[in-house]
Amino acid sequence: MCFSMLCVIHNLFPPHPSLQGCDPCSQTQRSKLQHRRARINQQINKEMRMRAGAENLFRATTNNKVKETVALELSFVNSNLQLLKEELEELNSNMEVYQTESEAINVPMIPLGLKETKEVDLTVPLKDVICEHYGEDSSLFEKEIKEFMELRQAMRTPSRNEAGLELLMEYYNQLYYLDQRFFPPHRTLGVHFHWYDSLTGVPSCQRALAFEKGSVLFNVGALYTQIGARQDRSATAGIDRAIDAFQRAAGAFNYLKENFSNAPSLDMSGPSLCMLVRLMIAQVQECVFERVTLTTPDTHFITQLQVAKEAARVSDVYSLVLQTMSQTLVKDYVPFSWASMVQVKAEHFRALSHYNAAVALCDHTRGDEESAKALFQFHVSSPAGPPLSQVLRDPEDRRKLGKAHLRCAVIRHEEAMRVHGLCKILRKMDILQEVLSFMYKRSLDKYSEMDREDDFDETAEAPEIHSQTQHKPDITPPNFSTVPVTDIFQRLGPLSVFCARARWGPVRVVSLQRGDGGLGLTLRGDSPVLVAGVVPGGCAQEAGLREGDYIVAVDGEDFKWAKHGEVVHILKSCSDRGIQLSIITLHTHDTQVGVLVERAPKLKNVGAHKVM
């Protein structure tokens, strides 16, 4: 059963009457998990507020008896917080609920839970800006405000599919317009955005819209991890979808790392995002190995060596992830089950690398020049014993080298199973236990097959295997243009003029009548049309028009979005009794300051036109 109904995609032509995310209370495993996470986050937030109040009282009071009582209360609150964080960590470490429902046996992937957020009511702040900054009747924009609020409410619970991704991307794109319209530089609206850490549940709060945008982008990456983890990787089509999802998750986290700074929560800090990018790349590399094993025949010496190199590559990238997880700023933050899973995979795939090397040496007999070249390039260092050219020709030498690789495989499998047994959460994952046990038994059986009673020589140490991949993972950055949106508040006027960083004087209404010399002005551009020049002593100058004025209305009709030719036509065809123009004068246009590098669409360059 799917996590929930498909999200209704937000449609702005015309606006959709209602928007929906999924129901976090619906009776599915993923939604139950999300609902429990939301409940624990609320409890953590409550305990954090109680602790802050108790700490303030402890610092303020001079009464020793009160101090003792408060200290006891603080101890109780901290204990509750620790229990809640441990419960949340166990939920966030729950990898099984996001895995595929296919019966195929695959090693589970590591997905991320979404960041939770509290409801935010932007109605009053937006109305204030519309009234005070734009000089418009804010009651006329209640429909747009409601539409935006419904969109934010829907994106809090996106469905775990493409529709959910589109919903998050749509809201992210709308935040660009909201930033331009309502958030001037060096000033905030007094709105606080509350988001919870995806792993610890610790609440963070900022008034900067960049925090809202970064948190939504984090959820885009997290949702991709869940989509990648749920793919059926028993066929190449499912593997390719998983590769695409994990590469896009890496791209979202990498974009977040490069474009946001001073993150208030640990999950969005630079070291954590770096770890997440590497984790996603490792999971891509694991999917590549699975595709190679599906598409590569196991009866060829060279291709079997290539499979071994692919497995070694997976082990290497997981070892790099484990190093990143061991760094000072990350090791106390990453769930123990994650670090354990990564270590298990590093050992597991190193074992598979040695196993495939043994199979190539013992089961495939080829002594041609191509095979010799492949074997010479296979090991990091030359193995002890006879030269490799002789190993290829002598079945006994191949058996001994293959047995050495099998010994390494068995040792690595045992280490993977030891690490697996130390983690309570991993022990609950039956499919992981099944995979590890099956591969371990396979290596043991192969080792027993290679072993002989008269084999008195000590098994040599097999050298490490060169890691190599046929498919280098890509980091696919988010493509925001895939979900085009229309500015919900476009009725306020074109962003080139009517934005939060612009300042203009009050609207002036001038009556313009045609004289013997015409109207006496030159127009340029469109949306809105600019008065590029006025003739000295002409009708336009006498009416009060000045160079640099913008025409925003004609005879009471809104002309903010009017095209150049349309305004010229109306002015030329005005009657002798004249025409009324609503005019504004732009005073300042502050330099935009922001975290993200975002540019408004370029306006079409329209030439000047003199209106006679």
Side-chain angles (χ1 to χ4, degrees):
M1 181 178 177
C2 158
F3 174 59
S4 66
M5 69 179 71
L6 291 176
C7 288
V8 178
I9 302 305
H10 187 54
N11 186 355
L12 296 175
F13 284 101
H16 200 283
S18 65
L19 289 167
Q20 283 185 284
C22 59
D23 179 9
C25 300
S26 61
Q27 297 304 303
T28 63
Q29 288 298 320
R30 295 183 186 89
S31 59
K32 287 179 182 178
L33 179 65
Q34 194 79 342
H35 183 60
R36 289 176 62 192
R37 293 178 75 247
R39 177 182 55 80
I40 295 174
N41 281 324
Q42 291 172 0
Q43 291 177 315
I44 288 176
N45 196 28
K46 179 181 177 181
E47 295 290 339
M48 294 280 285
R49 291 198 302 268
M50 290 177 61
R51 186 172 71 175
E55 288 174 343
N56 290 336
L57 179 58
F58 186 85
R59 287 191 293 265
T61 186
T62 56
N63 188 309
N64 289 333
K65 189 172 182 179
V66 173
K67 276 183 175 288
E68 290 177 6
T69 304
V70 173
L72 184 63
E73 182 67 22
L74 273 173
S75 175
F76 178 73
V77 170
N78 286 330
S79 177
N80 280 349
L81 267 175
Q82 185 61 33
L83 290 173
L84 287 170
K85 288 180 180 179
E86 288 176 1
E87 185 180 354
L88 186 65
E89 179 184 343
E90 185 170 350
L91 285 180
N92 288 327
S93 303
N94 193 331
M95 292 173 267
E96 278 192 297
V97 71
Y98 296 110
Q99 306 301 322
T100 177
E101 296 177 358
S102 167
E103 295 181 358
I105 299 177
N106 292 114
V107 179
M109 295 295 186
I110 299 178
L112 275 77
L114 302 184
K115 289 173 71 71
E116 308 284 348
T117 180
K118 293 174 63 175
E119 291 187 16
V120 177
D121 190 354
L122 295 168
T123 304
V124 174
L126 295 185
K127 281 189 171 183
D128 288 345
V129 174
I130 291 172
C131 179
E132 297 170 7
H133 183 73
Y134 292 96
E136 300 279 359
D137 184 355
S138 59
S139 64
L140 300 178
F141 289 84
E142 290 181 353
K143 182 180 178 181
E144 284 88 344
I145 295 174
K146 180 182 178 183
E147 184 180 353
F148 181 83
M149 296 302 299
E150 288 179 347
L151 178 59
R152 188 183 191 276
Q153 182 65 19
M155 74 85 202
R156 295 176 65 196
T157 54
S159 56
R160 270 60 176 173
N161 49 32
E162 290 297 328
L165 288 168
E166 289 183 12
L167 182 62
L168 288 172
M169 292 288 277
E170 180 183 356
Y171 180 68
Y172 184 90
N173 287 340
Q174 283 294 347
L175 288 177
Y176 165 77
Y177 290 110
L178 192 78
D179 190 13
Q180 299 290 306
R181 295 284 191 192
F182 297 98
F183 287 79
H186 317 302
R187 178 185 167 193
T188 65
L189 298 186
V191 178
H192 291 82
F193 298 100
H194 296 261
W195 288 83
Y196 298 92
D197 190 286
S198 63
L199 294 179
T200 64
V202 174
S204 298
C205 174
Q206 276 196 355
R207 290 182 293 180
L209 191 66
F211 181 42
E212 177 92 344
K213 297 166 77 173
S215 298
V216 173
L217 187 57
F218 184 95
N219 276 357
V220 170
L223 196 51
Y224 270 123
T225 70
Q226 296 178 14
I227 291 174
R230 70 183 299 185
Q231 298 302 320
D232 180 3
R233 306 197 310 277
S234 61
T236 55
I239 292 175
D240 290 340
R241 287 193 295 269
I243 289 174
D244 179 69
F246 289 129
Q247 288 183 157
R248 292 182 184 278
F253 296 135
N254 192 61
Y255 185 91
L256 192 58
K257 177 173 66 75
E258 293 179 349
N259 290 279
F260 288 81
S261 58
N262 302 319
S265 59
L266 281 174
D267 54 358
M268 292 169 59
S269 66
S272 293
L273 291 172
C274 181
M275 178 271 296
L276 290 176
V277 171
R278 290 182 176 178
L279 176 60
M280 295 306 112
I281 292 302
Q283 296 192 141
V284 171
Q285 199 70 64
E286 182 178 347
C287 292
V288 170
F289 171 78
E290 291 174 342
R291 186 172 60 187
V292 169
T293 57
L294 278 178
T295 58
T296 301
D298 59 357
T299 57
H300 195 283
F301 177 78
I302 295 177
T303 54
Q304 199 72 43
L305 293 184
Q306 183 58 47
V307 171
K309 288 183 176 182
E310 287 282 357
R313 179 61 182 167
V314 179
S315 178
D316 283 352
V317 291
Y318 272 118
S319 296
L320 181 61
V321 175
L322 189 61
Q323 291 177 16
T324 309
M325 288 181 171
S326 303
Q327 293 177 356
T328 305
L329 297 176
V330 182
K331 66 179 180 180
D332 295 329
Y333 172 69
V334 174
F336 177 67
S337 60
W338 282 24
S340 299
M341 175 67 91
V342 168
Q343 188 176 356
V344 165
K345 290 192 174 189
E347 298 293 343
H348 173 71
F349 284 100
R350 185 63 62 182
L352 293 185
S353 176
H354 285 291
Y355 173 82
N356 281 280
V359 170
L361 288 164
C362 299
D363 294 357
H364 306 303
T365 56
R366 285 189 59 179
D368 54 55
E369 185 177 341
E370 185 181 2
S371 298
K373 182 179 179 182
L375 188 58
F376 276 116
Q377 298 174 350
F378 183 67
H379 295 102
V380 174
S381 58
S382 298
L388 292 177
S389 56
Q390 179 181 331
V391 169
L392 276 177
R393 295 191 300 269
D394 189 337
E396 179 61 19
D397 289 335
R398 285 203 309 273
R399 184 191 70 83
K400 288 182 178 180
L401 182 56
K403 183 181 176 182
H405 278 291
L406 279 173
R407 179 174 177 272
C408 287
V410 170
I411 292 173
R412 295 285 190 164
H413 278 309
E414 289 175 344
E415 178 63 14
M417 296 181 72
R418 184 192 69 82
V419 175
H420 169 267
L422 294 175
C423 180
K424 180 178 69 174
I425 293 175
L426 295 190
R427 290 200 303 268
K428 294 179 181 179
M429 302 181 70
D430 295 337
I431 190 170
L432 180 59
Q433 176 72 46
E434 188 176 350
V435 171
L436 295 178
S437 299
F438 174 80
M439 296 299 182
Y440 176 55
K441 184 178 184 302
R442 187 180 68 168
S443 294
L444 277 178
D445 291 344
K446 191 70 175 177
Y447 186 84
S448 299
E449 180 186 327
M450 294 294 102
D451 200 17
R452 294 179 181 173
E453 293 183 2
D454 59 349
D455 203 353
F456 299 111
D457 295 334
E458 184 177 349
T459 304
E461 189 73 25
E464 286 299 324
I465 297 167
H466 269 301
S467 66
Q468 188 180 53
T469 181
Q470 298 177 0
H471 178 100
K472 186 178 179 181
D474 294 322
I475 296 178
T476 307
N479 184 1
F480 304 112
S481 63
T482 57
V483 184
V485 299
T486 301
D487 179 13
I488 291 177
F489 295 94
Q490 63 176 335
R491 286 202 296 128
L492 289 172
L495 268 177
S496 59
V497 174
F498 300 96
C499 60
R501 66 183 187 275
R503 297 288 182 271
W504 54 85
V507 177
R508 312 189 323 268
V509 178
V510 300
S511 297
L512 187 61
Q513 289 183 323
R514 183 184 298 277
D516 295 336
L519 294 175
L521 76 160
T522 302
L523 304 181
R524 186 176 68 222
D526 53 21
S527 302
V529 173
L530 173 72
V531 177
V534 294
V535 177
C539 297
Q541 189 180 58
E542 291 180 359
L545 284 171
R546 299 189 293 268
E547 181 181 343
D549 286 344
Y550 286 97
I551 299 174
V552 296
V554 178
D555 284 337
E557 183 181 350
D558 194 320
F559 262 58
K560 295 189 188 77
W561 288 96
K563 297 297 183 182
H564 177 268
E566 185 180 355
V567 177
V568 170
H569 174 73
I570 288 180
L571 292 182
K572 282 187 173 182
S573 60
C574 70
S575 62
D576 294 337
R577 60 187 176 85
I579 193 169
Q580 281 194 335
L581 302 179
S582 296
I583 303 297
I584 63 167
T585 302
L586 197 64
H587 293 326
T588 62
H589 213 298
D590 298 336
T591 303
Q592 181 183 1
V593 179
V595 179
L596 289 177
V597 180
E598 296 175 306
R599 296 183 176 87
K602 292 184 178 179
L603 297 175
K604 183 179 178 182
N605 186 19
V606 181
H609 192 106
K610 186 174 182 180
V611 182
M612 301 302 294

